[in-house]
């Protein structure tokens, strides 16, 4: 008995960071210990041993070599193990390689190409009616009389009087937020009692949210909280202009790649708080800080926030228990919340700033979709559109100005690089497009990044291309199995075939980039779930593919999506290519609309109120559609001729 | 050079607590190190070596014996040292005795005798007009339909609909606070979808602040933040009834007994945050928790708070830089702040609850006085009253329903037991009254606490009694010096006389309780500053003592105050004794009024707006008045005949 109660010492050496020494109990997996103490080891499959991403190297102590999938015999000899399959039975020292830390705070602050500069964005902005007229936030310079023994009014009363005089209102109608008050005494004396106030005017009252030495434009932050990736956009609220854009991996990824595993983790003791801080303190807060640094401002001067995310992400962001989302009858704690402030989000922005959350319509059709539909504009069109958001989950909306019906399909994380052996997000090093020479079988790759960037992995759009090309060239069959041999084709010791997209010597991190039959199988299930959802949705409305006037494809799949390949693989309907529009991260665009416009917020609310949510699992026929769609391109080949 | 940069190890052993090991730099005092690392050593004189309260025992390491006042040769041999006079020159291990930790979190939750049950309190409550009519907070039971696959509305939307139906309003007019939302999913399922909402109704909107399984009355907290003592009262806001009362030492005491030393400390790096948390996290938050425990509730269900405190305390509570308060032209950062919520106070109560702060009228006439005047009722009287608040500072208000003029005098902390060698707050063990037999010179003591409670020290009212009796019996002269010898009179090695109130063998902690000439000198300066302030205030209004129709004495001085002794010592005017009324902690009473009544809040605001603040230091003649008052009873004996 004694031995079973004993604790061992476990030392983690995350590459490039300080090591962490903790106590571990016999029988715990190294991954469980890491989750418990906050060492961010990537584990999209939540520790089922299926994804191979939690590969660590044991440098001291005993670790058995059994049951470690995804690890070559040579790697096994070098001490590589899956953290999820390594059970603690003594002291251990474990190196966590950079690759296994992949999703930690990797903030990418970039230009706004694709997102902001496109014609689609301009027309989106033009469609927001009051983007310049919503002047509830304004900057007001005030010159105050310096105090003396005959005029010893307090700083706050002095400022309120000065602001009231400048506004032509009563002093009682002006109030000061405590966070502005905290800055006031020193600021007044450093600036000879000449300051600029950031005012929020509402219901005849003016609240001084912030004070500064020089006039500063009010900052707003739009955030898309994706299951895999968090994106944010900083805007100047005086004009509505976006000024900085960035993204980061969602820190929750180490608790599972999909929302179900996150919800399960959140129901464990302390789990909700771990998941909340993994996205707030570890992800959105540093991202906001970095964006503000670009314009030399502090994150706490962000005085309005708009957030869109799926229903699970919204729950975890606010620290609200959402485990009922995954259990019949699939009831979330909330669809929408009003009256939120920066304080409630706990992301380092102004605690008194207004915060808006895009409302959900169902457990699996969240604020990312209501905001996304708003950004797509399909709710304003007379003709029938299909909105397809391909993120970690796939959501599909069919409709026009008269009706909107939505459903969610469990596409899995393949389109964001999850559960794909060499998958990655659409960031630097990702293969975003790929063509295969039919005669030689050799690939031609297009890689995200500056010229000369070596490939590091495969993102969603690259995956679609690769599978499409392998199928087109006859290298794989309709079930995704490799048909023959070739220079680029290899098989592992268990006989599973793979296609080598990039040899180890040419890859960014010296590891071969390939696509194996398990990856292709994951892709086929993902694309099958999308296509069958579209078919079911059309069927419910007694429509066919021919009734669709436009398809709007959104999501983090990468802007280089090749529509031909999506149709070739049987993922999207075989309709004229000109009807297809790739419109990027509509969740972020919609949040941005909500940030700069009151009428946009009202539109998103109306979209949520008017949208019908279709639960696919309760649709008769959906399962048959799905099974039929799990071929390349489809069991019914006539659909793709 | 090397040696000067070296760090030493300092181990603190606070009695009854875990020891703390820290690094210290050569030349730091032990008290400085303690302040830096948060070991709460009592230091009312801020480390000037004058109060003797920071007595610690060095049990290992070198500590010189020079410059340690208040320490007997025997104690020196036993290792006792003043922490402020002990300079680090090597590793040290220091025991911090219970006595030196005196002010740490000593929470006293008691009955409400004196404060609540007196006739004065009943008439005070009766004078609050809308104490029962202010029903902005209400409890609403709601029975909801359980969700199923055909009705998968979210919990929040379900509750809002249910509440709106019960209220007969629109669903959009009902919102949910995030902290209620966080409790909702589990609560609904544990209580078969039958819950009780705590609603705040304002401007036609209803906000669900809290949810519970059974109806619970709304809790409110009134707090008086004194420089030395923090008092709080928990009330049932459905009826306005007080339900629990408690007090605790202000954790800031280790940074100095008076507001000036606190402000100096707050201006050091990190000082403002240290002082803020010393009163919030260390004092008000645990006090609120303890009071709520008495009624089996959590502190976060306190959904309204009213706070009164002096101007410095209000600044430090909110974490607002107030150092300009102590520098000409004595300008605070604010007199009042509106729109505060529980979040801004950071004391563990409901973050979305409304918080009210009594407004100040000057740097040294704060919200404790505006709330106190309200509680005294002098602002409603036709005849002229004098309001005297004797806390760590003394504040005096003269006036009636037509005018109010106020001033502050630097009485020092003597009336709360500060800077008195055996001084203590008016809690268990404090000598609150004392008489001396003129023939034998022996004292008769009255001690706070249950029968048989041994004395531990002297509180304010006991101090007044002791000095008054010593003077009446001719044991001390008009300058406070001992005139002869006696059984109870002793002198130390430097010849300073003292009167032994209680021998070591009879005292609670085995230490003699005595009053020495330095203590008496402190008292004389304190009482002189009060009397001269009254004279100056009357002079300014061209009035005399005969114009005063009533004197209302408030403050933490102890309810056993003997008016005869206050007059005998020349502290309060020599007018008919029937004009005197001791009215207790009016700051807390006033805060309580603000807690339960909107019209009380308006009255306090009007009192603040209408009160004239008189800066004594700029009054010609005040200094002469003060010097003349520094005798027993006064240089001009005719004033007290």
């Amino acid at each position: 008995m004694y031995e079973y109660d004993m604790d061992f010492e476990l030392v983690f050496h995350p590459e490039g960071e300080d090591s962490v020494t903790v106590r571990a109990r016999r029988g715990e997996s190294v991954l469980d210990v890491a989750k418990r103490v906050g060492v961010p080891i990537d584990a999209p499959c939540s520790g089922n041993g299926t994804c191979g991403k939690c590969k660590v190297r044991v440098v001291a102590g005993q670790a058995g070599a059994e049951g470690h999938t995804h690890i070559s015999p040579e790697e096994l000899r070098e001490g590589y193990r899956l953290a999820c399959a390594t059970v603690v039975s003594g002291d251990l020292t474990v190196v966590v390689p950079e690759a296994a830390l992949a999703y930690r705070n990797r903030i990418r602050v970039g230009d706004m190409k694709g997102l902001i500069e496109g014609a689609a964005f301009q027309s989106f902005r033009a469609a927001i009616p009051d983007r310049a007229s919503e002047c509830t936030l304004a900057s007001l310079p005030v010159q105050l009389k310096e105090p003396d023994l005959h005029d010893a009014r307090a700083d706050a009363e002095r400022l309120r009087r000065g602001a009231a005089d400048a506004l032509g209102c009563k002093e009682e109608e002006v109030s000061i937020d405590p966070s502005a008050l905290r800055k006031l005494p020193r600021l007044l004396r450093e600036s000879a009692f000449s300051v600029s106030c950031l005012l929020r005017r509402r219901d005849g009252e003016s609240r001084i949210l912030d004070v500064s030495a020089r006039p500063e434009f009010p900052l707003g932050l739009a955030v898309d909280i994706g299951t895999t990736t968090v994106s944010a956009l900083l805007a100047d609220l005086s004009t509505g202009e976006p000024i900085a854009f960035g993204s980061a991996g969602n820190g929750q990824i180490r608790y599972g790649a999909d929302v179900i595993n996150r919800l399960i983790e959140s129901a464990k003791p302390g789990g909700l708080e771990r998941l909340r801080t993994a996205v707030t303190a570890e992800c959105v807060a540093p991202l906001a800080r970095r964006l503000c640094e670009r314009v030399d401002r502090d994150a706490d001067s962000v005085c309005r926030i708009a957030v869109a995310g799926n229903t699970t992400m919204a729950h975890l962001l606010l620290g609200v228990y959402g485990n009922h989302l995954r259990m019949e009858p699939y009831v979330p704690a909330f669809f929408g919340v009003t009256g939120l402030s920066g304080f409630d989000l706990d992301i380092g922005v102004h605690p008194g700033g207004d915060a808006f959350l895009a409302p959900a319509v169902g457990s699996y059709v969240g604020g990312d979709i209501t905001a996304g539909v708003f950004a797509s504009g399909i709710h304003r069109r007379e003709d029938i559109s299909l909105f397809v958001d391909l993120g970690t989950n796939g959501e599909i909306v069919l409709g026009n100005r008269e009706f909107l019906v939505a459903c969610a399909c469990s596409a899995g994380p393949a389109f964001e690089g999850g559960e794909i052996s060499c998958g990655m997000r659409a960031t630097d090093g990702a293969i975003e497009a790929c063509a295969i020479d039919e005669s030689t079988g050799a690939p031609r790759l297009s890689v995200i990044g500056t010229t000369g960037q070596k490939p590091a992995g495969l993102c969603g759009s690259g995956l679609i291309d690769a599978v499409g090309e392998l199928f087109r060239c006859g290298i794989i069959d309709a079930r995704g199995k490799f048909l023959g041999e070739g220079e680029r084709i290899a098989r592992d010791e268990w006989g599973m075939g793979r296609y080598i997209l990039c040899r180890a010597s040419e890859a960014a991190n010296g590891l071969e980039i390939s696509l194996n039959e398990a990856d292709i199988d994951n892709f086929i299930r993902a694309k099958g779930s999308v296509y069958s959802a579209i078919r079911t949705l059309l069927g419910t409305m007694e429509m066919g593919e021919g009734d669709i006037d436009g398809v709007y494809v959104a999501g983090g799949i990468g802007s280089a999506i090749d529509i031909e390949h999506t149709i070739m693989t049987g993922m999207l309907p075989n309709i004229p290519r000109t009807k297809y529009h790739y419109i990027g991260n509509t969740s972020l665009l919609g949040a941005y609309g909500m940030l700069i416009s009151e009428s946009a917020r009202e539109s998103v609310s109306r979209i949520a109120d008017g949208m019908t949510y279709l639960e696919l699992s309760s649709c008769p026929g959906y399962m048959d559609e799905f099974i039929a769609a799990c071929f390349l391109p489809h069991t019914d080949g006539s659909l793709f001729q």
Side-chain angles (χ1 to χ4, degrees), chain A:
Chain A
M1 280 304 285
Y2 173 70
E3 217 180 52
Y4 284 86
D5 283 320
M6 260 185 74
D7 282 340
F8 301 112
E9 197 168 83
L10 197 46
V11 183
F12 288 103
H13 282 297
E15 268 187 9
E17 292 180 35
D18 291 341
S19 65
V20 180
T21 303
V22 298
R23 305 294 297 177
R25 196 164 279 274
R26 177 186 293 273
E28 281 190 293
S29 79
V30 169
L31 183 64
D32 286 341
V33 179
K35 279 185 187 175
R36 181 160 53 75
V37 301
V39 172
I41 297 182
D42 200 6
C45 76
S46 308
N48 298 326
T50 55
C51 76
K53 300 274 162 133
C54 67
K55 202 189 284 181
V56 298
R57 194 154 65 89
V58 176
V59 294
Q62 287 291 319
E66 297 296 305
H68 292 271
T69 51
H70 300 277
I71 301 209
S72 71
E74 192 189 336
E75 285 176 327
L76 271 179
R77 277 192 299 277
E78 289 171 2
Y80 283 98
R81 299 287 186 278
L82 293 187
C84 68
T86 303
V87 171
V88 176
S89 63
D91 291 350
L92 278 180
T93 301
V94 168
V95 171
V96 186
E98 184 67 22
L101 291 167
Y103 285 94
R104 185 180 202 185
N105 295 351
R106 191 69 57 80
I107 295 178
R108 185 181 141 98
V109 177
D111 56 31
M112 292 173 275
K113 255 194 199 124
L115 178 72
I116 300 301
E117 288 164 9
F121 178 74
Q122 293 308 332
S123 74
F124 164 70
R125 282 209 60 195
I128 298 177
D130 60 357
R131 69 197 183 281
S133 66
E134 196 191 19
C135 49
T136 57
L137 289 164
S139 182
L140 179 78
V142 183
Q143 171 67 59
L144 302 172
K145 184 179 159 300
E146 295 201 21
D148 54 42
L149 277 173
H150 303 290
D151 173 14
R153 279 177 300 156
D155 298 344
E157 277 70 15
R158 192 175 300 274
L159 181 64
R160 287 172 53 210
R161 178 77 263 160
D165 287 345
L167 293 167
C169 70
K170 292 185 194 156
E171 189 177 322
E172 303 89 79
E173 291 166 3
V174 181
S175 68
I176 301 188
D177 189 275
S179 56
L181 186 58
R182 289 183 186 111
K183 292 183 184 176
L184 190 60
R186 290 182 205 240
L187 182 68
L188 282 178
R189 285 157 188 86
E190 283 164 11
S191 66
F193 285 78
S194 167
V195 294
S196 180
C197 302
L198 176 66
L199 282 177
R200 178 178 61 202
R201 304 180 77 168
R202 192 161 58 190
D203 304 333
E205 296 206 301
S206 294
R207 189 154 176 93
I208 300 172
L209 286 182
D210 203 358
V211 286
S212 54
R214 275 164 299 281
E216 285 177 339
F217 53 81
L219 283 176
L221 187 75
V223 186
D224 158 47
I225 304 201
T227 309
T228 305
T229 308
V230 173
S231 308
L233 190 154
L234 192 71
D236 171 354
L237 293 179
S238 68
T239 61
E241 283 301 321
I243 47 181
F245 167 74
S247 66
N250 185 330
Q252 295 172 340
I253 199 100
R254 63 180 184 270
Y255 303 109
D258 56 43
V259 296
I260 299 299
N261 281 304
R262 309 262 176 102
L263 290 172
I264 291 170
E265 180 74 21
S266 77
K268 296 179 185 170
L272 189 55
E273 186 59 11
R274 279 197 298 277
L275 281 151
R276 191 186 71 78
T277 55
V279 71
T280 55
E282 289 182 31
C283 183
V284 183
L287 184 54
R289 211 159 46 229
R290 282 282 294 279
L291 293 180
C292 289
E293 276 169 15
R294 303 262 293 195
V295 288
D296 241 351
R297 298 279 289 274
D298 291 326
D300 65 6
S301 61
V302 170
C303 54
R304 195 190 292 155
I305 313 104
V307 181
N310 67 48
T311 312
T312 299
M313 291 302 111
H315 280 63
L316 297 178
L317 175 71
L318 291 180
V320 175
Y321 188 76
N323 202 30
H324 303 293
L325 274 169
R326 64 179 190 88
M327 295 181 286
E328 225 184 77
Y330 312 109
V331 172
F334 63 92
F335 289 148
V337 196
T338 56
L340 289 175
S341 67
F343 157 70
D344 298 310
L345 300 187
D346 189 24
I347 53 172
V349 299
H350 195 302
D354 291 325
F356 303 105
L357 194 61
V361 295
S363 288
Y364 297 103
V365 173
D368 52 342
I369 302 308
T370 57
V373 164
F374 168 75
S376 77
I378 68 165
H379 64 297
R380 290 195 309 269
R381 304 181 72 90
E382 210 152 334
D383 50 17
I384 303 293
S385 303
L386 197 62
F387 171 86
V388 183
D389 189 322
L390 298 173
T392 308
N393 296 298
E395 291 97 351
I396 298 160
V397 183
L398 178 72
N400 65 357
R401 66 202 305 173
E402 307 287 330
F403 77 96
L404 292 168
V405 53
C407 71
C409 57
S410 47
F415 299 130
E416 295 213 44
E419 297 191 5
I420 298 297
S421 58
C422 295
M424 68 180 287
R425 295 189 287 131
T427 59
D428 281 356
I431 299 170
E432 62 170 349
C434 150
I436 296 177
D437 187 312
E438 206 169 338
S439 56
T440 66
R444 196 154 34 80
L445 309 178
S446 167
V447 178
I448 299 179
T450 49
T451 315
Q453 167 76 50
K454 287 185 174 180
L458 197 60
C459 70
S461 59
L463 174 68
I464 296 170
D465 277 3
V467 176
E469 289 288 279
L470 289 173
F471 184 60
R472 181 181 64 82
C473 298
I475 301 172
I476 55 173
D477 64 15
R479 294 174 306 118
K481 302 299 171 202
F482 284 90
L483 287 168
E485 303 300 322
E487 200 195 338
R488 287 277 174 167
I489 298 169
R491 289 190 187 272
D492 68 11
E493 52 199 302
W494 297 279
M496 181 165 74
R498 68 180 188 276
Y499 179 81
I500 299 166
L501 283 153
C502 175
R503 297 186 209 281
S505 57
E506 290 153 13
N509 44 20
L511 294 172
E512 175 191 290
I513 301 168
S514 57
L515 193 66
N516 64 33
E517 288 173 354
D519 297 334
I520 297 169
D521 197 47
N522 276 336
F523 170 79
I524 290 177
R525 276 186 287 114
K527 75 95 194 170
S529 79
V530 171
Y531 186 69
S532 54
I534 293 171
R535 293 271 296 175
T536 307
L537 211 51
L538 285 167
T540 304
M541 299 307 291
E542 298 183 341
M543 289 181 175
E545 295 181 5
D547 294 315
I548 302 170
D549 294 299
V551 182
Y552 296 84
V553 182
I557 196 167
S559 60
I561 188 171
D562 183 294
I563 294 299
E564 204 57 57
H565 283 136
T566 65
I567 297 171
M568 194 184 292
T569 54
M571 176 165 144
L572 294 177
N574 183 19
I575 58 174
R577 307 331 184 222
T578 52
K579 292 189 173 181
Y580 277 92
H581 313 279
Y582 180 74
I583 51 173
N585 186 340
T586 48
S587 172
L588 181 61
L589 274 188
Y592 165 69
M594 292 175 66
L595 180 69
I596 61 169
S597 158
E598 164 107 50
S599 81
R601 295 193 286 275
E602 285 164 4
S603 289
V604 174
S605 281
R606 272 197 305 274
I607 287 168
D609 289 345
M611 195 182 282
T612 304
Y613 174 55
L614 188 68
E615 175 61 48
L616 282 184
S617 63
S618 58
C619 285
Y622 171 69
M623 214 14 111
D624 294 339
E625 284 284 1
F626 174 65
I627 291 165
C630 281
F631 283 82
L632 292 174
H634 197 274
T635 320
D636 179 0
S638 70
L639 289 167
F640 290 90
Q641 273 167 355

